[in-house]
Amino acid sequence: MKIVSTIEDLRDQLRGQLRTAFVPTMGNLHEGHLSLMRLAARHGDPVVASIFVNRLQFGPNEDFDRYPRTFEADCEKLAREGVYVLFAPDEKELYPEPQEYRVNPPHHLGDILEGEFRPGFFVGVTTVVLKLFSCVQPRAAVFGKKDYQQLMIIRNMCRQFALPVEVVAAETVRATDGLALSSRNGYLTAAERIEAPALAATLQEVRAQMLAKPLEMARIEREACARLEARGWYPDYISVRRRADLQTPSMVDLAAATPLVVLSAARLGATRLIDNLEI
């Protein structure tokens, strides 16, 4: 595996490659990330990964400084997966001057759910992804469904900017107890890790109830939050939305069995976990 840290070296390494598949990450890689690498290998060749902890998507009181950085272990994992190039720039390389030009997702998609509770998050995400796409110029890029809203925003960005990138969605990878794999799971204490699968279990309950009584959506959402709160969680949201655009389904949508997804974000101790489940 080639490890490059400058845009110039990256472009030199990829010159002439027409089928590059790309997986952007912030490092601290786990099995979920590695599954993205395997999916990328089925959609292009060579596979390029990036590791960059993007300051632009962290709020002033979020965990940028303590976000886990495990570069050597990450490199070993990527090499075993057959990744061709790892692009690992530092901040001065990717942002040599203040990043004043930024991508602003539309309000109706970027400022709901995660965007409501993490203002500016999706501006940071889309800006860095667009810049990484410019550096790598991939034919395909793989993103996980665990970040459901992010996946939709990036897919829409590529369509509206006519980027020649196929955005490939990867299914969420879970531990045997149902917890969605995430780098932030490492923040959980031993007791919190035992409790953490309750979030996924709650989404399963919401899904079952929505399939049985979809017109009672508001009650189902409200009671799901209450169940988590009773267990010591602090939910930001448990919300059923249309899969197509993440807007709140109307009664007509609910009656017509429009494809839905339930999305959630909740704090357990000091750790904020997100998850979702299609209905």
Side-chain angles (χ1 to χ4, degrees):
M1 182 176 72
K2 311 288 186 182
I3 302 174
V4 298
S5 59
T6 70
I7 296 170
E8 181 179 2
D9 287 347
L10 174 70
R11 288 174 173 164
D12 283 345
Q13 193 68 47
L14 295 177
R15 187 165 285 115
Q17 300 285 358
L18 300 178
R19 297 185 65 254
T20 301
F22 178 45
V23 184
T25 82
M26 293 204 300
N28 191 223
L29 305 181
H30 50 68
E31 180 59 27
H33 293 109
L34 302 183
S35 72
L36 303 184
M37 306 299 161
R38 295 168 201 143
L39 184 57
R42 298 201 294 271
H43 284 267
D45 181 36
V47 173
V48 177
S50 67
I51 293 176
F52 181 71
V53 183
N54 177 40
R55 188 185 298 271
L56 294 186
Q57 68 194 65
F58 287 80
N61 299 313
E62 293 185 335
D63 56 349
F64 175 79
D65 289 326
R66 75 185 186 109
Y67 192 86
R69 293 160 170 84
T70 54
F71 186 73
E72 290 186 6
D74 292 345
C75 290
E76 293 175 4
K77 293 174 182 176
L78 293 174
R80 285 198 297 269
E81 293 298 329
V83 169
Y84 175 59
V85 174
L86 169 61
F87 180 43
D90 61 20
E91 283 193 284
K92 290 184 178 179
E93 177 65 21
L94 209 57
Y95 302 130
E97 58 186 274
Q99 189 66 37
E100 296 171 336
Y101 287 82
R102 302 194 183 193
V103 180
N104 283 277
H107 170 77
H108 68 270
L109 187 56
D111 295 334
I112 61 172
L113 302 169
E114 284 299 279
E116 177 182 351
F117 289 91
R118 302 182 68 187
F121 171 68
F122 288 117
V123 173
V125 168
T126 51
T127 298
V128 76
V129 168
L130 182 61
K131 194 158 194 177
L132 288 169
F133 282 177
S134 176
C135 296
V136 177
Q137 299 185 19
R139 188 191 68 82
V142 179
F143 293 86
K145 278 190 177 182
K146 189 181 81 69
D147 298 290
Y148 205 92
Q149 187 176 6
Q150 172 180 282
L151 171 65
M152 179 171 290
I153 287 173
I154 290 171
R155 183 169 275 160
N156 289 355
M157 177 186 75
C158 289
R159 185 184 69 250
Q160 291 203 3
F161 280 116
L163 301 179
V165 181
E166 177 190 1
V167 176
V168 179
E171 295 297 329
T172 300
V173 177
R174 299 182 181 275
T176 54
D177 58 9
L179 178 65
L181 299 190
S182 168
S183 295
R184 289 186 169 92
N185 291 351
Y187 297 156
L188 297 167
T189 66
E192 289 167 351
R193 177 60 187 83
I194 294 172
E195 169 62 22
L199 183 61
T202 298
L203 296 185
Q204 290 283 359
E205 292 176 22
V206 169
R207 182 179 186 275
Q209 292 176 8
M210 285 295 300
L211 290 173
K213 298 180 179 180
L215 299 181
E216 298 183 21
M217 182 185 76
R219 175 190 62 80
I220 292 168
E221 293 173 333
R222 184 172 61 252
E223 292 180 355
C225 282
R227 287 196 299 274
L228 279 181
E229 289 171 349
R231 300 179 67 103
W233 293 71
Y234 297 90
D236 284 341
Y237 59 85
I238 296 179
S239 186
V240 176
R241 300 295 177 106
R242 294 191 302 238
R243 287 189 213 173
D245 56 10
L246 295 188
Q247 300 306 297
T248 302
S250 66
M251 297 301 285
V252 173
D253 293 324
L254 297 175
T258 297
L260 304 173
V261 59
V262 55
L263 305 104
S264 62
R267 294 188 183 277
L268 181 59
T271 305
R272 185 174 186 272
L273 302 178
I274 67 170
D275 202 350
N276 65 80
L277 188 64
E278 292 180 334
I279 298 172

